[in-house]
Amino acid sequence: MKCGLLGRKLGHSYSPQIHGMLGDYSYTLFEKEPEQLASFLKDGDFACINVTIPYKKDVIPYLDELSPAARKIGSVNTIVRRADGTLYGHNSDYFGFVSLVRHSGIVVDEKKVLVLGSGGTSNMVVTALKDLGAIPVVISRSGENNYDNLHLHADASVIVNATPVGMYPNTGVSPIDLNRFPKLEGVLDVIYNPAKTKLLLDAEALGIPHENGLWMLVAQAKEASEYFTEKKLPDSCIGKIHHILSCQMKNIVLIGMPGCGKSTVGSLLAEKLGRSFVDADDEIIQMAGKSIPEIFAQDGEEVFRKWETEVLDNCGKQSGLVIATGGGCVTRMHNYPALHQNGNIVWLKRCLSLLPTEGRPLSQTSCLEEMYTVRKPMYEAFADIRVENTGSPEQTADEILSQLEGLS
């Protein structure tokens, strides 16, 4: 059975991997321009497909029948070609979002919920929230309730982001300031890349329960697969696939004093996991066209830190990397959200007497004990886990993997 995903610009999609774990069928990415839509739906070589932006509404005129959920929401993300050749449209995003709400533990019943955005995803979210007993209010750019009169909704209990604001590659921006909502009890974001958008990072900093859209992505695929195969799947498969994807997508970021072994251990971790390894210092050297001692001598530390931040911004928004940072990256707080948004941060610790100083400008000109005293609270603030690099690199890498497994 030939299945797949229909969209305009699909880029890297996790859907083939998810469906590969859900059922025994092929899953292809179908990138089509608007003028190709009609002929593809009529004569395309597929048995069942998922539909993503911008075609969730555009496909409806070509379908012969809609499920109650699809009619209610007014958009379709699952199409099944029936035995007689007719096309049946369904919306499994509804199931995915309801599953996300329940998984998050955030209570929406009888709560005022702000839904950011007024597109197709927003329509689905509003429908699901009403069915869950919530009181949704749509916030749009120009509607009755908009971003200029958010003060009218300071009593909101939950916020759901149904816009693409903050999505990869345009990370680090948020549609709203959460400090304006003192009664906030939960934040949901349908975006899953990065794992923590600026909106979710802000919620985390304020201690507000939050969840990204990865669970929703897997849950909607599970229900779509059931429509494809006409076979019921256990809900437990959602959690299993979510765990696998979450671990694969997270970067492993190594921080620590210069010379503590980040590059050696990082390259070994990448080899063990079949991941790409990025050494931030090497990236800076390539960008500058000169060695790090030359950068410090000719341009100064501030220029080096500026380039370092640019490199970490770029690396941190990507997925599935092992990243070795420079020892002083923690001295710029801006680097924390860049690395934390998609990564687990590992503080690699080593006895100061064992740290080499050759080729390390600050280590050669500063007292290591004084440097460590200043940086220690910064490492602690950045780190998700702490690992002593006292044994072999292999032992240290294995200890990191063991502790990371405990995080998930």
Side-chain angles (χ1 to χ4, degrees):
M1 183 170 65
K2 190 169 186 178
C3 303
L5 176 65
L6 169 64
R8 189 172 186 184
K9 300 295 182 183
L10 297 176
H12 176 71
S13 171
Y14 290 98
S15 292
Q17 184 180 358
I18 295 171
H19 281 272
M21 291 185 274
L22 287 170
D24 184 20
Y25 46 83
S26 66
Y27 197 91
T28 305
L29 299 180
F30 298 107
E31 287 192 347
K32 303 295 178 183
E33 292 299 315
E35 61 271 18
Q36 299 174 292
L37 194 60
S39 60
F40 175 75
L41 290 171
K42 180 181 177 182
D43 302 315
D45 183 18
F46 68 87
C48 307
I49 52 172
N50 289 127
V51 184
T52 189
I53 54 175
Y55 297 138
K56 291 186 178 184
K57 291 185 177 181
D58 294 346
V59 298
I60 291 178
Y62 305 102
L63 306 181
D64 299 285
E65 185 180 350
L66 299 180
S67 71
R71 283 199 305 272
K72 190 174 185 179
I73 297 165
S75 69
V76 165
N77 80 321
T78 301
I79 297 175
V80 175
R81 193 186 300 279
R82 295 183 291 199
D84 61 359
T86 57
L87 297 177
Y88 180 81
H90 175 60
N91 191 303
S92 64
D93 284 334
Y94 175 96
F95 171 81
F97 181 75
V98 170
S99 182
L100 169 64
V101 173
R102 290 171 176 161
H103 167 71
S104 73
I106 296 171
V107 177
V108 299
D109 185 28
E110 298 185 349
K111 303 285 187 178
K112 182 175 183 177
V113 181
L114 299 190
V115 180
L116 309 182
S118 55
T121 300
S122 173
N123 293 342
M124 176 276 297
V125 168
V126 168
T127 300
L129 286 171
K130 286 180 179 178
D131 290 346
L132 290 170
I135 307 166
V137 176
V138 174
I139 305 296
S140 61
R141 285 191 292 258
S142 58
E144 176 186 356
N145 299 296
N146 55 67
Y147 295 96
D148 293 325
N149 61 20
L150 284 174
H151 60 279
L152 301 176
H153 306 291
D155 59 339
S157 297
V158 179
I159 290 174
V160 180
N161 180 35
T163 78
V165 176
M167 184 169 66
Y168 176 84
N170 302 311
T171 65
V173 293
S174 174
I176 55 171
D177 178 5
L178 295 184
N179 289 296
R180 302 177 66 177
F181 305 93
K183 297 183 178 180
L184 208 55
E185 300 172 8
V187 178
L188 297 171
D189 199 325
V190 300
I191 294 170
Y192 58 87
N193 187 15
K196 290 184 184 293
T197 57
K198 175 68 163 56
L199 181 71
L200 296 187
L201 288 171
D202 290 346
E204 181 180 71
L206 294 169
I208 300 170
H210 56 279
E211 191 77 27
N212 70 21
L214 184 59
W215 186 278
M216 174 180 161
L217 176 71
V218 178
Q220 67 80 24
K222 178 256 187 186
E223 188 181 69
S225 181
E226 292 175 336
Y227 273 78
F228 292 176
T229 64
E230 298 183 342
K231 294 179 181 178
K232 185 70 176 175
L233 294 169
D235 285 345
S236 60
C237 72
I238 301 172
K240 292 177 182 177
I241 296 173
H242 177 270
H243 174 75
I244 291 170
L245 287 179
S246 181
C247 291
Q248 288 179 355
M249 294 168 70
K250 281 286 187 75
N251 295 324
I252 300 174
V253 182
L254 302 179
I255 63 172
M257 285 288 283
C260 69
K262 299 184 293 291
S263 296
T264 300
V265 173
S267 59
L268 185 59
L269 278 170
E271 183 180 346
K272 282 176 172 284
L273 298 172
R275 296 189 179 200
S276 295
F277 172 65
V278 177
D279 188 308
D281 282 350
D282 288 345
E283 297 295 310
I284 296 168
I285 291 169
Q286 185 174 353
M287 177 188 296
K290 62 183 82 172
S291 70
I292 289 177
E294 288 173 329
I295 296 172
F296 272 81
Q298 299 171 18
D299 306 294
E301 183 179 358
E302 283 304 313
V303 171
F304 173 82
R305 295 298 173 203
K306 176 178 176 291
W307 285 338
E308 180 179 56
T309 292
E310 186 175 339
V311 166
L312 296 181
D313 279 346
N314 180 57
C315 294
K317 68 174 64 175
Q318 299 180 54
S319 299
L321 301 177
V322 178
I323 304 170
T325 66
C329 78
V330 295
T331 63
R332 300 296 187 270
M333 195 58 204
H334 172 86
N335 295 331
Y336 175 70
L339 296 174
H340 182 56
Q341 64 181 334
N342 247 356
N344 288 315
I345 303 178
V346 182
W347 178 13
L348 204 59
K349 307 175 72 174
R350 197 174 194 188
C351 179
L352 295 183
S353 63
L354 299 177
L355 301 181
T357 60
E358 185 178 352
R360 307 174 194 277
L362 292 182
S363 296
Q364 289 178 326
T365 59
S366 307
C367 172
L368 285 181
E369 287 78 9
E370 292 178 1
M371 181 190 294
Y372 181 70
T373 299
V374 171
R375 291 182 180 179
K376 181 182 177 182
M378 301 173 184
Y379 291 134
E380 289 175 337
F382 272 56
D384 295 305
I385 63 173
R386 298 148 183 82
V387 175
E388 295 282 349
N389 187 20
T390 55
S392 68
E394 289 79 8
Q395 290 172 323
T396 302
D398 288 341
E399 175 61 21
I400 290 172
L401 294 176
S402 176
Q403 290 201 37
L404 288 176
E405 183 63 29
L407 287 180
S408 55

